[in-house]
Amino acid sequence: MDTAEAKKVLETALLCAREPLSIHSLKKLYVETDDQGRPLGAGVGADTIKQLLEQLRQEWQGRGIEVVGLASGWRFQSRPEMKQYLDRLNPEKPQKYSRATLETLAIIAYRQPVTRGDIEEIRGVAVNSQTIKMLEDRGWIDVVGYRDVLGRPALLGTTRQFLDDLGLQTLSQLPPLQQISDVQNANSMEVLEAALQENFEKAAHAAEAPDNVAPEEAPATGAVQEAAPDADPTHEQTNEQH
């Protein structure tokens, strides 16, 4: 298979996929097998696939959709400037999240791994169990370990889905904000919440490309992610975890 054909196969797979595809998954496109399903050759390597992805990215510049790398893989999605036109097809506004939900999510994203007690200490109020459950059900947070203290409270961190829904590859791409250690500063928290909400809205519209381009279900709000498409999970291991 020559380069042009390999790129055509890659482009087709990304356009037809209903979810981001990792480099590992994309490698399967080029592995031929015998009647018993055994590979006949090495196929195409990861470095070559990354080069093809970069070529596709350049070739699609200036169009209404683009090739992007997310925490869990690669996909086509609409460009932000197309938002005003896509809104005409779906005028419903992206879901707005409560201040309490955004505060909780922001603290987890910027201070992870944290316990529920840490969040309550920072916010100064009790955390509603339904808020944590909603974030877990949404696939944005998960238990990444347990603190080695009395009671072994669960440590919470964000997931690749969280990054995917914000259209990011890594946590380092979150909006740069002053240290959250000074969370008593209301202005700092308000800026953080606004930045997350803006990213959610942008990501929601970015996922609203044509049916054969966007994932099966567009996020209700938007999209954030801390690992390269083929890297380890986003949770950073600490000496607090087991």
Side-chain angles (χ1 to χ4, degrees):
M1 182 183 298
D2 58 24
T3 300
E5 183 68 16
K7 186 161 52 178
K8 183 187 299 184
V9 170
L10 182 63
E11 182 179 55
T12 302
L14 291 175
L15 283 169
C16 295
R18 294 183 177 275
E19 59 186 17
L21 297 176
S22 66
I23 297 293
H24 177 72
S25 295
L26 293 171
K27 288 172 65 176
K28 297 177 182 178
L29 294 169
Y30 307 102
V31 178
E32 297 185 10
T33 60
D34 59 20
D35 295 338
Q36 281 71 46
R38 293 172 298 195
L40 297 175
V44 176
D47 290 341
T48 299
I49 291 177
K50 291 176 183 177
Q51 292 174 6
L52 294 175
L53 286 167
E54 181 56 34
Q55 291 177 27
L56 282 178
R57 193 203 303 269
Q58 295 176 8
E59 291 173 5
W60 281 80
Q61 287 182 355
R63 303 191 187 185
I65 57 177
E66 61 184 340
V67 180
V68 297
L70 304 174
S72 61
W74 296 78
R75 75 179 181 194
F76 275 96
Q77 67 181 34
S78 61
R79 292 183 182 275
E81 56 268 28
M82 294 294 103
K83 172 182 176 297
Q84 59 177 314
Y85 305 106
L86 297 176
D87 281 348
R88 298 170 186 173
L89 296 175
N90 183 20
E92 295 183 6
K93 297 296 182 182
Q95 178 181 343
K96 294 287 186 178
Y97 288 91
S98 69
R99 180 185 177 90
T101 298
L102 285 175
E103 281 184 357
T104 300
L105 180 58
I107 291 169
I108 295 172
Y110 283 85
R111 292 288 298 273
Q112 62 185 302
V114 294
T115 65
R116 181 169 173 171
D118 295 332
I119 299 171
E120 292 178 341
E121 181 178 354
I122 291 172
R123 293 191 62 226
V125 295
V127 175
N128 190 318
S129 297
Q130 289 303 310
T131 298
I132 298 295
K133 184 178 186 305
M134 186 274 286
L135 293 174
E136 289 178 330
D137 291 345
R138 191 72 178 81
W140 285 343
I141 67 170
D142 201 359
V143 174
V144 298
Y146 297 87
R147 183 165 290 166
D148 193 14
V149 296
L150 184 63
R152 289 177 56 78
L155 289 163
L156 302 172
T158 54
T159 64
R160 285 189 176 184
Q161 184 65 51
F162 170 68
L163 292 178
D164 276 349
D165 285 352
L166 283 175
L168 306 179
Q169 288 187 347
T170 69
L171 288 173
S172 63
Q173 292 176 309
L174 281 168
L177 299 168
Q178 64 190 64
Q179 271 306 50
I180 273 193
S181 57
D182 184 23
V183 289
Q184 310 300 344
N185 183 334
N187 290 332
S188 174
M189 183 59 73
E190 288 172 2
V191 171
L192 186 151
E193 294 168 18
L196 284 181
Q197 186 68 61
E198 180 181 3
N199 269 28
F200 285 142
E201 293 175 2
K202 286 181 179 178
H205 289 290
E208 291 172 357
D211 291 342
N212 66 332
V213 175
E216 184 172 11
E217 283 186 271
T221 48
V224 196
Q225 292 180 358
E226 171 179 1
D230 231 19
D232 291 329
T234 60
H235 310 308
E236 293 184 4
Q237 301 299 316
T238 71
N239 55 11
E240 291 181 312
Q241 295 172 256
H242 285 279

